[in-house]
């Protein structure tokens, strides 16, 4: 006897999600990259990698602050 899995999300909601994703591909891609980075940092990164990313973040913050002040 096979147990049927049911999707709790309505077909209308799934259609709306798909439509939104097709219209907002850049945002979806950016969110996907953020999620991957966050998960790597929280779950897999070693100390040396975290220190490296910390330096990159500091440099990027300085760059963005300088560009916004102009």
């Amino acid at each position: 006897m096979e147990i049927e899995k049911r999707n709790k999300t309505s077909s209308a909601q799934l259609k709306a999600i798909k439509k939104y994703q097709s219209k907002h591909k850049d945002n979806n891609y950016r969110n996907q990259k953020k999620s991957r980075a966050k998960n790597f940092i929280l779950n897999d990164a070693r100390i040396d990698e975290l220190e490296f990313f910390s330096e990159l973040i500091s440099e990027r913050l300085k760059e963005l602050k300088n560009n916004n002040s102009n």
Side-chain angles (χ1 to χ4, degrees):
M1 180 167 71
E2 186 175 321
I3 299 175
E4 183 179 328
K5 290 185 179 181
R6 295 199 177 226
N7 192 345
K8 293 184 180 181
T9 307
S10 71
S11 60
Q13 183 66 38
L14 291 172
K15 185 177 177 182
I17 291 168
K18 189 172 184 177
K19 182 178 177 183
Y20 176 86
Q21 289 175 340
S22 68
K23 286 187 176 184
H24 299 90
K25 288 183 180 184
D26 291 341
N27 286 343
N28 289 329
Y29 182 66
R30 188 172 186 279
N31 288 334
Q32 188 179 60
K33 290 192 310 184
K34 285 192 317 184
S35 177
R36 288 180 181 169
K38 181 181 172 184
N39 283 318
F40 176 76
I41 288 169
L42 292 177
N43 300 319
D44 298 321
R46 298 183 313 252
I47 290 174
D48 61 328
E49 293 167 331
L50 291 172
E51 290 170 346
F52 174 72
F53 290 134
S54 179
E55 291 174 20
L56 291 177
I57 291 169
S58 294
E59 291 172 15
R60 181 71 172 142
L61 282 170
K62 287 178 191 174
E63 179 185 318
L64 291 173
K65 287 178 182 178
N66 287 338
N67 288 342
N68 287 337
S69 65
N70 292 334

